[in-house]
Structure formats: structure tokens, C-alpha cells
Amino acid sequence: MTRYPARGLLLLVAALSLQLTGCSDDSPQAADKNANSPSAAESAVSEPTGTEATTSGPFSLREYDGPIDPGRHRVPLISWERTYPVDALVRVPEGFITPGGWVIENGLDGTAYGDLMFFGDVDLVDTDPCGAGQAIKPGPTVRDLAESLTGQLPDRATAPRPITVGGHRGLYVEMRVPRNLSRCESGKFTVLAVHQAENPWYSAGPGRLLRFWIVEVDGQRVMVAVNVVPGRTTHAAELVHMAKTAEFVENVDG
């Protein structure tokens, strides 16, 4: 793979906000059942094939821009000029790209955009993602963040339930974005922010299904986030499989 200059995180999140659009009639329950059950797509995750993946260990996607070779790759946690002690270790199948190494996405290869991101921390949660809500700072624990997210739209979010990712216990929640965002002040569904000063919000378009696995890794809270349009996003099962089978390793890049 060839390295290119990384894009700034603010531009990345802004770009994601513009791309997270689409709608579906699928129910969150149906989407969850399909995504969590073994499927041909999930069982067909590619083994490492590139030279870097097989002979030099996992390849770091940090500051990389372009198509991702199938294999095991280290993905940095979303940050804002911060350094986190761990990276995510993900087995990436064929057909995915990354703009800057902070996100794994299917790009425009399919009927609807989908992506996978790893957050090193969450500074703010919007109490009303589609209205004039307050930006509050969630507490420091896994449960604090999970309950802050489910409290945004109680009728459209699942109750936190126990999960394990990479051997680390945590909580899983999912949230369905309304199909009609006309009442949203910004025209977007704003979920959370990764920096208090600049407020680059993680936003989503109408009809999106947002899935969050929140774990603690050696004292570091990590949130794994997948967003898709149920029934339309290409490679949705692969994105979920990467999230559920991710591991966490030492950040050796600093």
C-alpha cells in the first residue's frame, strides 16, 4: 500500500456527516438479528494476503489514505491531537478503503455508505441529537457513556447489554436515527463530540442504524462504532464482524 498525506480529523468527521445519508424500512431488531448471526459474508473474511500483512505483522493504517489490502491492520483510536496507549487490531476483508487511517469504510462501492470507527474517548454527548439539546460530558465509565447514549432517544435506543470485544468486557447499545430530520436545527442528527473546544460532531443521516460497543482496555475507554443503512449498505455484515472481532494492541507509533 502507498501512503498519502492524512486528512485532518475535523474534515474527516465533517465529510462523514455529509455521507451518512439514506433511509430504510428495516427494523432495528431485524437488522440486529441479521448482523449478529453468522453469515456467509462474516465467515468469508479474508485471511492476510499482502506481504506486509503476512511477513511484517499487522500494517498500521495511521496516516494512510487509500484502498486497504486484505489482512490484519492496526487502526488508531479517534483522537484530537491526543495519544492513546492502544490501537485496534482488525482483520479487514477485501473491498474497503480508509481516508487518513481513522476510519474503515466501504466508500461508494455499493448502494449506501457504511463505516467503522474506534473512539479513544468521547468528550460530549448531545442530550437531544435532533433538537436544541445540551452538550453534556458523560462520566468516565463504560456504563456512563452507554447510558448517556441511550438517554438521547430512549424510544429509539436499546438498553445497554453486556458484551465482550477482544477479551474486554463492556456494553453494547444501538440507536436508530429518525427518517425525518426536518426538525433538526442543523439538518443533522448529532450524537457525540470528540473534542470540547472545537466540537467536531459525529453525525448521522436519516434512517441510519448506529451500533456502539463500549469497552475498557487497561484503563482506556474505547468505543467501537458502526453505522449503516439497514438492508442497503454494502458490506454491512463485514463491518459488524470487524467490530465484534477487533482486538487491542499497544500503540507503538506514539
Side-chain angles (χ1 to χ4, degrees):
M1 294 188 288
T2 305
R3 289 184 179 274
Y4 298 91
R7 304 177 189 178
L9 178 58
L10 180 57
L11 295 178
L12 169 61
V13 176
L16 288 173
S17 299
L18 292 176
Q19 295 185 70
L20 305 188
T21 58
C23 61
S24 170
D25 293 329
D26 295 346
S27 68
Q29 290 81 5
D32 182 58
K33 178 180 179 182
N34 293 337
N36 281 288
S37 300
S39 66
E42 289 183 348
S43 62
V45 175
S46 302
E47 294 295 324
T49 58
T51 301
E52 290 170 316
T54 56
T55 63
S56 303
F59 178 81
S60 176
L61 297 181
R62 191 181 303 273
E63 299 186 359
Y64 170 75
D65 191 332
I68 305 174
D69 288 340
R72 297 168 69 227
H73 301 285
R74 289 192 294 112
V75 182
L77 308 185
I78 293 289
S79 65
W80 190 272
E81 298 181 350
R82 300 172 183 168
T83 298
Y84 294 112
V86 299
D87 285 340
L89 181 61
V90 183
R91 187 178 297 275
V92 183
E94 186 175 0
F96 290 87
I97 67 172
T98 178
W102 301 98
V103 56
I104 295 174
E105 63 179 49
N106 67 350
L108 299 179
D109 178 21
T111 55
Y113 177 87
D115 69 22
L116 163 66
M117 305 174 77
F118 297 85
F119 289 86
D121 206 354
V122 173
D123 289 311
L124 299 172
V125 172
D126 195 337
T127 58
D128 184 358
C130 204
Q134 293 182 326
I136 63 170
K137 187 174 181 64
T141 70
V142 166
R143 181 163 293 277
D144 288 335
L145 179 54
E147 292 181 347
S148 293
L149 291 171
T150 57
Q152 291 176 311
L153 288 178
D155 59 334
R156 287 184 170 270
T158 61
R161 63 177 177 83
I163 48 87
T164 300
V165 177
H168 301 277
R169 295 180 179 179
L171 295 171
Y172 169 82
V173 300
E174 67 179 46
M175 182 187 305
R176 184 63 165 273
V177 179
R179 286 192 287 269
N180 184 357
L181 299 184
S182 61
R183 80 175 184 88
C184 296
E185 292 188 343
S186 64
K188 301 175 183 178
F189 186 86
T190 55
V191 183
L192 54 90
V194 295
H195 192 269
Q196 284 185 298
E198 301 295 337
N199 289 347
W201 287 94
Y202 178 79
S203 305
R208 286 273 158 180
L209 178 62
L210 307 179
R211 309 179 63 156
F212 304 113
W213 295 259
I214 309 168
V215 297
E216 182 175 322
V217 182
D218 300 331
Q220 172 66 54
R221 186 171 65 189
V222 178
M223 186 178 79
V224 187
V226 168
N227 91 83
V228 301
V229 178
R232 293 187 57 209
T233 296
T234 303
H235 305 316
E238 288 90 339
L239 287 167
V240 171
H241 182 84
M242 283 187 276
K244 294 170 64 176
T245 60
E247 301 175 62
F248 300 98
V249 295
E250 181 183 1
N251 171 11
V252 296
D253 295 325

